[in-house]
């Protein structure tokens, strides 16, 4: 059996250790996962109720057009319904973009380290990958511009960037967009949009009229707390959406995900509370880093990347044995850092205490 040659160079996604496995291995009654930037407060009760109400319909295929959710999202972000494409998580929108725009004759430009699925999917399509190193955790947009040529079809801008939590300012993004050739799609991945507090973070939706080559990605997995349901979306001009739609599976988002997302949008207070608690949680980590003189990247997301000045697997393992699963920087291109999802106040205090002991 001959699979595509480029698949041989890829590893399947390595998820963190499951909670149950860690409990068993270290004989722990409580294990906390702060590894995947999930919402420690769960999701809106309205979303849970909507799921229960939908259970009678499980035998029926979902609406492949996600009409109700489409109307709600269009209203929420203030775009036209035909300017949205839904995915089984924004992961799938990344995959659809790659299927639609990349092939072995094209190249794609992205930062490194950044969210790994851009590269993963681009490799599968056989495209050339052009990676530009972050500078102090930030996208080097000037260098990314230099990497663009007539064969470039997609450029990825992850803001806030996973795993650094840094963001691209409005001025920097506008300057970049004004120089990117029109044949290149600029994908601005805003998975952590709802957490951002920085005043000069761009409101990209308002740029869609000026830039037909702009696509914005958002998700219900983070601040809305619906990661397990797999639902996210892309926003771009209607013609582009129409062109890439055939690369989407017909029933790619489930009934449960659609109704939960509709209900989640109807509970803005839940997201607002999570945003405020996340900000306080970040402060707990900043204070810890400053006390112990550890370098970190100020984050606009719900996670923080901290430099422990030693092999990150060591710190990762020490936390694991105490029941805290985080993300070792080794797998993220930061071999002395840990990426820790901001948890509840108690979870943050507990993990900080363990880290203090360990660093001492
Ligand atoms: C930057 C970024 N984009 C996209 C995703 C994918 O999110 P989902 O597929 O759950 O919508 C993630 C998940 O961690 C992410 O960090």
């Amino acid at each position: 059996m001959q699979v595509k040659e480029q698949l041989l160079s890829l590893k399947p996604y390595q998820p963190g250790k499951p909670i149950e496995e860690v409990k068993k291995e270290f004989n722990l009654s409580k294990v906390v996962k702060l590894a995947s930037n999930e919402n420690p407060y769960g999701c809106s009760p309205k979303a849970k109720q909507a799921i229960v109400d939908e259970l009678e319909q499980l035998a029926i295929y979902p609406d492949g057009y996600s009409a109700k959710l489409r109307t709600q999202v269009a209203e929420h972000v203030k775009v036209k319904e035909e300017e949205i494409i839904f995915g089984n998580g924004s992961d799938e929108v990344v995959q659809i973009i790659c299927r639609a725009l990349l092939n072995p004759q094209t190249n794609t430009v992205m930062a490194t380290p950044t969210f790994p699925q851009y590269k993963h999917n681009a490799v599968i399509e056989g495209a050339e990958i052009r990676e530009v190193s972050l500078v102090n955790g930030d996208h080097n947009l000037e260098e990314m511009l230099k990497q663009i040529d007539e064969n470039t079809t997609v450029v990825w801008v992850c803001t806030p960037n996973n795993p650094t939590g840094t963001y691209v300012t409005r001025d920097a993004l506008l300057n970049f967009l004004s120089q990117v050739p029109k044949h290149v799609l600029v994908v601005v991945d805003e998975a952590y949009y709802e957490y951002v507090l920085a005043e000069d973070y761009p409101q990209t939706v308002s740029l869609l009229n000026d830039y037909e080559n702009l696509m914005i990605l958002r998700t219900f997995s983070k601040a809305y707390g619906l990661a397990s349901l797999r639902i996210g979306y892309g926003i771009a001009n209607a013609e582009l959406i129409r062109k890439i739609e055939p690369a989407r599976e017909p029933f790619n988002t489930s009934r449960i995900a659609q109704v939960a997302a509709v209900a989640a949008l109807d509970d803005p207070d839940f997201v607002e509370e999570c945003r405020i608690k996340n900000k306080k949680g970040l402060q707990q980590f900043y204070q810890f880093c400053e006390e112990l003189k550890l370098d970190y990247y100020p984050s606009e997301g719900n996670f923080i990347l901290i430099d422990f000045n030693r092999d990150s697997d060591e710190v990762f393992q020490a936390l694991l044995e105490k029941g805290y699963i985080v993300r070792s920087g080794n797998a993220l291109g930061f071999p002395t850092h840990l990426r820790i999802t901001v948890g509840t106040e108690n979870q943050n205090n507990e993990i900080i205490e363990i880290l203090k002991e360990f660093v001492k």
Side-chain angles (χ1 to χ4, degrees), residues 226-261:
L226 298 176
S228 65
L229 298 185
R230 314 303 302 122
I231 186 139
Y233 55 98
I235 317 166
N237 76 81
E239 195 191 333
L240 176 63
I241 296 289
R242 199 167 49 245
K243 282 186 182 158
I244 66 171
E245 266 281 333
R248 180 179 68 78
E249 296 297 321
F251 301 109
N252 63 330
T253 64
S254 72
R255 274 185 176 274
I256 299 290
Q258 289 179 26
V259 294

Side-chain angles (χ1 to χ4, degrees), residues 36-37 88-92 115 118 158 160 162 189 191-192 218-222 227 230-232:
S36 303
N37 306 339
N88 195 252
S90 49
D91 270 347
E92 197 199 22
F115 183 58
Y118 316 141
C158 185
N162 180 0
D189 184 349
Y192 301 94
R218 301 254 179 100
T219 181
F220 286 94
S221 297
K222 307 298 175 184
R230 314 303 302 122
I231 186 139

Side-chain angles (χ1 to χ4, degrees), residues 157-357:
V157 178
C158 185
T159 172
N161 186 45
N162 180 0
T164 48
T166 48
Y167 69 102
V168 175
T169 64
R170 183 183 160 79
D171 286 352
L173 186 68
L174 281 175
N175 183 39
F176 181 70
L177 285 170
S178 69
Q179 294 180 72
V180 173
K182 296 290 165 244
H183 71 274
V184 179
L185 178 66
V186 179
V187 180
V188 178
D189 184 349
E190 299 183 346
Y192 301 94
Y193 173 83
E194 292 80 10
Y195 286 113
V196 175
L197 292 163
E199 280 176 10
D200 55 350
Y201 183 75
Q203 292 305 322
T204 38
V205 170
S206 66
L207 304 175
L208 287 167
N209 285 338
D210 294 336
Y211 296 100
E212 290 193 349
N213 58 337
L214 172 63
M215 174 121 180
I216 302 157
L217 302 186
R218 301 254 179 100
T219 181
F220 286 94
S221 297
K222 307 298 175 184
Y224 290 99
L226 298 176
S228 65
L229 298 185
R230 314 303 302 122
I231 186 139
Y233 55 98
I235 317 166
N237 76 81
E239 195 191 333
L240 176 63
I241 296 289
R242 199 167 49 245
K243 282 186 182 158
I244 66 171
E245 266 281 333
R248 180 179 68 78
E249 296 297 321
F251 301 109
N252 63 330
T253 64
S254 72
R255 274 185 176 274
I256 299 290
Q258 289 179 26
V259 294
V262 167
L265 283 176
D266 193 33
D267 193 356
D269 291 349
F270 174 81
V271 175
E272 182 58 22
E273 273 169 36
C274 292
R275 190 197 343 260
I276 293 166
K277 288 179 190 159
N278 183 64
K279 183 185 177 191
K280 290 186 181 153
L282 280 170
Q283 296 297 345
Q284 289 176 269
F285 284 101
Y286 294 162
Q287 199 182 331
F288 155 72
C289 291
E290 272 146 36
E291 248 175 59
L292 276 86
K293 303 204 171 9
L294 298 171
D295 284 337
Y296 64 94
Y297 291 98
S299 173
E300 291 293 326
N302 66 339
F303 55 89
I304 181 163
L305 190 67
I306 303 175
D307 189 357
F308 286 89
N309 295 310
R310 65 181 88 195
D311 182 352
S312 62
D313 284 352
E314 264 180 51
V315 199
F316 168 83
Q317 189 63 25
L319 286 171
L320 196 64
E321 288 171 18
K322 300 271 184 191
Y324 273 85
I325 313 174
V326 298
R327 193 83 182 163
S328 167
N330 267 321
L332 304 174
F334 286 93
T336 61
H337 293 62
L338 287 187
R339 192 194 69 198
I340 304 173
T341 302
V342 176
T344 62
E345 188 180 353
N346 275 345
Q347 291 170 345
N348 300 336
N349 279 334
E350 278 175 27
I351 198 172
I352 284 170
E353 280 316 306
I354 301 167
L355 285 168
K356 276 185 182 167
E357 276 302 306

